[in-house]
């Protein structure tokens, strides 16, 4: 993030929004529940059914972002930013594979 940014990034600010999103307390808190979740260590009757975010925050990510506008803006920006990169990578892989097949290299 840059000086003078004031902790506010517009939805089109890919990388700053990624940083702001991942630095939020609800996500940091969720990480602390990941090891037990992966190990399947029950601390409650429905522990294996609840993702780390739900355990850490007492609600689902969907519920959280529905009620937290500032967080939702950055989360949506991250999804849009990642999707654009992901789609391009998939297309490049598919087109590269198609080109190799057409050239008889596969």
């Amino acid at each position: 993030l840059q000086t003078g940014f004031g902790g506010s990034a517009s939805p089109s600010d890919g990388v700053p929004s990624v940083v702001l999103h991942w630095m939020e307390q609800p996500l940091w808190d969720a990480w602390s529940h990941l090891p037990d979740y992966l190990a399947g260590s029950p601390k409650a009757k429905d522990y294996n059914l609840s993702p780390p975010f739900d355990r850490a925050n007492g609600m689902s990510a969907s519920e959280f972002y529905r009620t937290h506008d500032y967080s939702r803006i950055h989360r949506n920006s991250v999804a849009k930013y990642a999707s654009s990169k992901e789609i391009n990578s998939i297309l490049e892989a598919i087109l590269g594979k198609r080109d190799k097949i057409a050239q008889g290299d596969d």
Side-chain angles (χ1 to χ4, degrees):
L1 299 175
Q2 54 190 330
T3 304
F5 213 63
S8 175
S10 75
S12 62
D13 292 330
V15 174
S17 278
V18 169
V19 173
L20 290 169
H21 173 64
W22 280 99
M23 296 293 291
E24 281 199 299
Q25 194 66 46
L27 290 176
W28 280 103
D29 291 345
W31 282 109
S32 68
H33 291 269
L34 187 60
D36 287 335
Y37 178 75
L38 294 174
S41 167
K43 291 187 179 181
K45 187 176 179 181
D46 63 345
Y47 190 83
N48 289 325
L49 302 176
S50 300
F53 188 96
D54 298 29
R55 296 174 196 175
N57 298 290
M59 67 179 78
S60 71
S62 296
E63 292 171 291
F64 177 82
Y65 292 116
R66 191 177 315 122
T67 58
H68 293 81
D69 294 338
Y70 178 79
S71 298
R72 183 177 58 244
I73 288 169
H74 296 298
R75 187 260 169 234
N76 289 347
S77 180
V78 168
K80 183 178 178 181
Y81 178 74
S83 291
S84 69
K85 304 297 181 201
E86 181 179 47
I87 290 168
N88 287 337
S89 295
I90 292 168
L91 289 175
E92 286 175 16
I94 290 170
L95 295 175
K97 178 81 170 168
R98 182 196 66 192
D99 292 344
K100 284 183 179 183
I101 291 171
Q103 295 171 4
D105 293 339
D106 193 54

